[in-house]
Amino acid sequence: DIQMTQSPSSLSASVGDRVTITCRASQTIYRSLNWYQQKPGKAPKLLIYTASNLQVGVPSRFSGSGSGTDFSLTISSVQPEDFATYFCHQTFTTPCSFGQGTKLEI
Amino acid sequence: EVQLVESGGDLVQPGGSLRLSCSASGFTFSYFPMHWVRQAPGKGLEFVSSISSNGGSISYGDSVKGRFTISRDNSKNTLYLQMSSLRAEDTAVYYCVKEQYSGSYFFEYWGQGTLVTVSS
């Protein structure tokens, strides 16, 4: 099975900061990588699919990049509503697998 | 509007069984593969099971293989997860998820989740 490793596990930021979360796969997954945001007590929400495609309705301050084994999620200017936990997710193989999550804190 | 509404979560004793349901609306259910994903309290996300649009292709995570069974009834727009031989480590919120495909597949919509607690 493919292991997904996110870094950092937690991240402190201020409103307006640019933040980047990285995700590394244990083997190549080409561009089969998605990103989700989860707020406490809520279901995850899709942000980015297939490495760099912004889901409809997601603000353009979110962007994704990468291919192969190394990927990143960037928030260009963090807003108060962005403080949440972020998960990467590979779907190149079955079973799919998730990163352990990155908690973005104020 | 896509809606996925899970039900069936409960407190169950170790070794017991439970069936989860997910009622889908707002899209043509029979066209899309569906998944179950779980999240233990304070933990990350874990793939549980998936089923193709016509039910002909099924997969399970290693931790539930042989104990859980996924199924769907396209006439009722409903996804199921039959859980047996439950263990304490199966305690989690279980999410029903709709798949979408664009170059690769992803989890487009998630239900609100249903809590399964395995404890004596």
Side-chain angles (χ1 to χ4, degrees), chain A:
Chain A
D1 294 0
I2 294 179
Q3 309 304 316
M4 305 300 294
T5 304
Q6 284 182 238
S7 61
S9 296
S10 64
L11 177 59
S12 295
S14 300
V15 173
D17 284 354
R18 180 183 180 90
V19 302
T20 296
I21 300 167
T22 64
C23 182
R24 175 165 288 177
S26 59
Q27 64 187 75
T28 183
I29 57 171
Y30 298 91
R31 292 177 57 81
S32 301
L33 191 284
N34 313 305
W35 291 97
Y36 304 88
Q37 176 194 66
Q38 188 179 34
K39 296 183 178 179
K42 299 294 186 181
K45 170 188 170 184
L46 176 69
L47 297 177
I48 301 285
Y49 62 91
T50 318
S52 60
N53 295 281
L54 192 68
Q55 172 67 349
V56 172
V58 174
S60 59
R61 63 180 178 272
F62 291 92
S63 63
S65 64
S67 64
T69 61
D70 293 313
F71 300 85
S72 63
L73 172 71
T74 298
I75 310 173
S76 60
S77 176
V78 173
Q79 299 301 300
E81 60 268 31
D82 300 338
F83 292 98
T85 300
Y86 294 85
F87 294 93
C88 63
H89 170 224
Q90 72 81 17
T91 57
F92 181 67
T93 61
T94 299
C96 64
S97 51
F98 295 88
Q100 81 278 15
T102 295
K103 187 173 183 180
L104 177 58
E105 301 175 297
I106 300 173

Side-chain angles (χ1 to χ4, degrees), chain B residues 13-26:
Chain B
Q13 292 189 340
S17 298
L18 205 59
R19 188 176 85 156
L20 305 183
S21 300
C22 170
S23 177
S25 61

